[in-house]
Amino acid sequence: QVQLVETGGGLVQSGDSLTLSCETSGRTTSSFYVAWFRRVPGKEREFVAAITRTGTNTYYTDSAKGRFTISRDNAKNTVSLQMNTLKPEDTAVYFCAARPEGLTTFLYWGQGTQVTVSS
C-alpha cells in the first residue's frame, strides 16, 4: 500500500522560508510523478508545483514561480518543496500527491501539513 507523509509545515512570518517534505512508502518515489497542492478553507484545492519521475521537468503555478522550488531525492523516497519569500496568501494546508506517469489522476494523497504565514 502506497502512503505519502508530508512534514515541515508550521507558523512563519512574511518573508521567511520553509521546506516541506513528502516521503513515500510502499513503492519507491521514482515510480511516480509527484505534485504539491494546497487548500484554503472555503476555496478550491490549488495546484502548486509538480516534478517528473526523474526530476528532469518541473512545473509551477504562477504565484509559486521564482519563490518555490520542487525537487526530489529518489534514493530517499522524498520530494521537497522549498518555499522562499512566503506571503500571508500562501497560508494553506499543503498536500503532496502521486501518480504513475501516463495517468492524469493522482492516485495517492498525503494527509496534509499546515503552513501559516503571518504578516
Side-chain angles (χ1 to χ4, degrees):
Q1 183 178 357
V2 176
Q3 290 188 320
L4 306 180
V5 178
E6 303 98 334
T7 56
L11 172 63
V12 297
Q13 293 187 332
S14 182
D16 285 351
S17 298
L18 205 58
T19 299
L20 306 182
S21 294
C22 173
E23 185 173 357
T24 63
S25 62
R27 278 176 67 181
T28 58
T29 298
S30 61
S31 301
F32 301 116
Y33 177 101
V34 178
W36 285 93
F37 293 81
R38 64 188 181 188
R39 187 174 66 222
V40 176
K43 293 189 176 181
E44 293 284 325
R45 184 174 59 204
E46 175 188 26
F47 166 79
V48 177
I51 188 166
T52 53
R53 286 194 305 121
T54 59
T56 302
N57 294 310
T58 57
Y59 308 91
Y60 299 92
T61 189
D62 286 345
S63 63
K65 289 178 183 176
R67 297 190 300 128
F68 294 5
T69 302
I70 188 170
S71 62
R72 68 191 302 156
D73 184 342
N74 287 338
K76 296 182 178 180
N77 288 322
T78 299
V79 174
S80 298
L81 184 68
Q82 171 72 40
M83 305 186 293
N84 297 326
T85 319
L86 283 162
K87 305 175 182 180
E89 51 263 43
D90 294 317
T91 295
V93 178
Y94 285 71
F95 300 86
C96 65
R99 61 173 173 81
E101 282 196 10
L103 293 186
T104 57
T105 301
F106 285 91
L107 301 181
Y108 309 107
W109 291 82
Q111 82 289 347
T113 185
Q114 176 71 47
V115 172
T116 303
V117 184
S118 63
S119 57

